[in-house]
Amino acid sequence: MGLKDRYKQELERLGPGQEELERLYTLIEGGTDMKWKKWLGRRAVAAIAVCAALTLTATAAAVPAVWRSLQEHLGPFAPYAQYIKGASCSDQGIKIQILSALSDDLAARFYLSVQDVEGDRLNEFLELTGRLTAGEEKLTEAQASGEGIIGGGSPSTRNFKLVSYDPDTRTALLSATVYYEEAARPTEKARLEVTGMTTRLAEVWLDIPCASVTGRTLNSLPVGENDKVIYQASDSGFPGYTNAVLPARKVVLAPGQTPMDIEGTEDIRVSSMGFASDGRFHVRLDFAEGVRPGLHQDGKSDLMFGLYGVDDNSNNRFFVYQQTLVDGGMDILFPLIKAEDLQTLQSGQVKLTGRYWRPGADIEGSWSVDFDLEYYASTVLDWTDAVNGWRMKEVTLSPLSVTMTGYKGDSSGALAYTPLYAVKKDGTEIAAEPGSGRYSNLEVNGGEGWECYATWYFVEPVEVEDIACLSVKGTRIPVN
């Protein structure tokens, strides 16, 4: 059975009308996701998802497992994503394929798969080096006329985030986001360029519960000749906390006294945790073979620690610490935490964040591919009234987001980080999470008053024609 026949079989099972089906059949071999949705409207969402699944399954052997992960990650946004076909490149036995994009004129989120087709060099620690470029810089009228042209090139991202890794197919799913906002606008062309990848650098966000800590003094060892301090109390950034707060007795905990696994990692575990002979709270960590903390150029540690979940009104003393590299791991000393703090300490957890090196592979090469990008253009609402005292110059709405630009005589009554809801014609509401915001004093450039700009992203997509109004700060903005 051919791909087009499979489309027909699946679509007829979903039950769209015959006239709608015929239109879709005509578009299948040359149309795009956006065109299909324009033809079928809301009834297209299930049909487009089926078409995309069949297309991706037919074009890449490793896609089915990644496809399931992609659908789960997109959730309610899956039917609104563009499914990109034929955008792949290979080098060094690694294949990279652009799978999908979810975009309007505020932001674009891309999904790509990375598959090792020759070996088993990838894992859940995969990171890419490169950039994904999509869109162009906006020019004001003055800039367009040649006055004050600014540089920077096309909007792009260098941050690729791992979504999932499938060891059976040796395939990773990653995402990358480009933000347009005020400074840029999307275009119909995008480009991915990757120059290398590694599985040796891991990023962590781990919690070590302190409930098991007791008041007894644990066995300690003097700081040895080969032990190395890589972060001092004076590096904490809190005024007044210099190295003078460090105890006179320089010790580290002896290993293996209170061993404990840390949820979320097999590379690092607790070896000993409690009060050392210097009377201060310590945590000694064991590193798996080949694991070491990342270091900055000045030799300071790229790992950060802090005590969270504690009742603390004492000027950040729970965030002052010293890291010392010891045999097989690291000792973290909290010089301002003593035995009398035990009850408070037991209610919290040590949070470990940052990056570290681990055994893995570095792969250099050249991967690049151009592909077409489609996006949901925002509708400019025919409404210029006030919200919380801000006179709106423009309010825009897309299936994915809302933006507002307004003016006021002063900067009071912030709109950024304010809850916003889309109210549907049937009375139900869809929440939008605050995005970015800014406030500008127009007097700096010879104007008067202040300007604000704020953005929101819907927690689930909306159909613009179904929205009766937007609700923010007690104001209802009609959607025509």
Side-chain angles (χ1 to χ4, degrees):
M1 182 183 295
L3 186 57
K4 185 174 180 180
D5 292 332
R6 294 172 65 192
Y7 281 155
K8 288 185 177 182
Q9 183 184 73
E10 289 296 324
L11 293 170
E12 288 166 358
R13 181 179 60 82
L14 291 170
Q18 186 60 39
E19 183 179 351
E20 293 170 328
L21 282 172
E22 290 301 327
R23 290 174 178 172
L24 183 57
Y25 296 156
T26 302
L27 291 168
I28 281 174
E29 292 184 343
T32 66
D33 297 338
M34 300 296 182
K35 289 180 181 178
W36 296 347
K37 290 167 184 172
K38 288 176 182 177
W39 276 108
L40 297 181
R42 286 172 302 211
R43 298 182 69 175
V45 291
I48 299 309
V50 169
C51 290
L54 291 171
T55 299
L56 293 177
T57 301
T59 55
V63 162
V66 176
W67 165 259
R68 289 190 295 271
S69 179
L70 174 59
Q71 294 298 292
E72 292 173 0
H73 185 77
L74 284 170
F77 292 93
Y80 288 78
Q82 172 194 1
Y83 298 97
I84 300 166
K85 298 168 271 293
S88 66
C89 51
S90 298
D91 190 22
Q92 307 299 316
I94 302 292
K95 178 180 179 180
I96 300 180
Q97 181 172 354
I98 304 292
L99 300 178
S100 180
L102 183 67
S103 176
D104 63 3
D105 41 20
L106 182 61
R109 188 164 74 243
F110 301 89
Y111 293 91
L112 56 147
S113 64
V114 181
Q115 182 185 19
D116 190 341
V117 295
E118 292 185 356
D120 193 11
R121 295 166 287 178
L122 309 182
N123 58 31
E124 66 273 20
F125 298 99
L126 178 66
E127 291 201 8
L128 302 186
T129 301
R131 62 185 294 171
L132 201 157
T133 306
E136 62 185 14
E137 190 177 47
K138 284 182 179 176
L139 299 179
T140 66
E141 292 182 4
Q143 292 167 343
S145 65
E147 301 177 17
I149 298 294
I150 57 177
S154 300
S156 64
T157 179
R158 290 178 171 82
N159 297 317
F160 298 90
K161 182 178 180 181
L162 185 80
V163 176
S164 65
Y165 179 71
D166 178 44
D168 294 333
T169 58
R170 303 183 300 280
T171 307
L173 174 66
L174 298 98
S175 67
T177 302
V178 172
Y179 295 97
Y180 303 117
E181 299 185 351
E182 292 181 285
R185 59 188 173 195
T187 59
E188 296 180 351
K189 297 292 182 181
R191 179 175 178 79
L192 173 72
E193 298 174 281
V194 175
T195 58
M197 57 193 72
T198 184
T199 59
R200 297 180 57 240
L201 192 59
E203 187 168 354
V204 291
W205 187 277
L206 303 171
D207 290 334
I208 305 172
C210 298
S212 61
V213 176
T214 68
R216 71 184 179 92
T217 300
L218 300 182
N219 294 331
S220 307
L221 300 172
V223 173
E225 294 182 358
N226 296 324
D227 298 338
K228 181 180 180 182
V229 174
I230 58 174
Y231 187 96
Q232 301 183 82
S234 57
D235 297 324
S236 64
F238 299 114
Y241 290 133
T242 67
N243 291 335
V245 302
L246 298 174
R249 182 182 299 175
K250 300 184 185 303
V251 301
V252 296
L253 285 179
Q257 299 181 78
T258 60
M260 179 174 66
D261 292 334
I262 303 174
E263 184 177 356
T265 181
E266 295 181 357
D267 289 340
I268 304 172
R269 70 192 307 267
V270 173
S271 177
S272 299
M273 180 169 64
F275 294 96
S277 60
D278 59 6
R280 307 313 201 268
F281 177 60
H282 290 242
V283 180
R284 179 167 178 147
L285 301 176
D286 277 343
F287 294 156
E289 186 175 356
V291 170
R292 58 182 176 84
L295 298 177
H296 298 291
Q297 291 183 346
D298 60 1
K300 302 300 182 183
S301 174
D302 202 19
L303 294 177
M304 296 189 300
F305 295 83
L307 279 161
Y308 290 78
V310 293
D311 183 14
D312 176 35
N313 297 311
S314 53
N315 300 319
N316 300 304
R317 67 189 179 101
F318 283 87
F319 298 92
V320 178
Y321 58 91
Q322 175 168 290
Q323 296 177 45
T324 302
L325 287 179
V326 295
D327 183 27
M330 174 188 291
D331 181 275
I332 303 95
L333 156 67
F334 291 87
L336 301 174
I337 311 303
K338 303 178 182 180
E340 55 262 34
D341 300 305
L342 176 62
Q343 186 173 355
T344 299
L345 178 64
Q346 289 174 330
S347 67
Q349 60 275 338
V350 176
K351 189 174 290 292
L352 162 59
T353 62
R355 311 187 105 189
Y356 66 90
W357 293 97
R358 66 183 311 281
D362 294 317
I363 306 171
E364 295 183 358
S366 178
W367 297 262
S368 62
V369 62
D370 297 288
F371 57 97
D372 294 331
L373 175 64
E374 297 180 340
Y375 65 94
Y376 293 96
S378 293
T379 298
V380 179
L381 303 187
D382 185 18
W383 187 88
T384 54
D385 211 331
V387 175
N388 207 35
W390 292 90
R391 174 67 61 175
M392 288 298 110
K393 176 184 178 182
E394 184 176 85
V395 179
T396 70
L397 170 65
S398 86
L400 310 178
S401 66
V402 174
T403 69
M404 293 186 187
T405 306
Y407 298 87
K408 193 179 180 183
D410 57 62
S411 61
S412 63
L415 291 182
Y417 312 113
T418 297
L420 180 145
Y421 299 88
V423 183
K424 299 173 68 173
K425 293 175 181 177
D426 63 7
T428 58
E429 295 183 345
I430 298 176
E433 295 180 344
S436 64
R438 68 157 179 82
Y439 295 86
S440 304
N441 188 342
L442 300 178
E443 295 178 3
V444 174
N445 295 316
E448 295 182 0
W450 288 72
E451 180 185 61
C452 74
Y453 174 77
T455 66
W456 292 263
Y457 297 92
F458 287 114
V459 298
E460 62 181 75
V462 303
E463 291 288 342
V464 174
E465 62 269 25
D466 285 347
I467 303 303
C469 65
L470 302 175
S471 176
V472 57
K473 284 285 187 180
T475 299
R476 294 210 162 203
I477 302 172
V479 176
N480 297 328

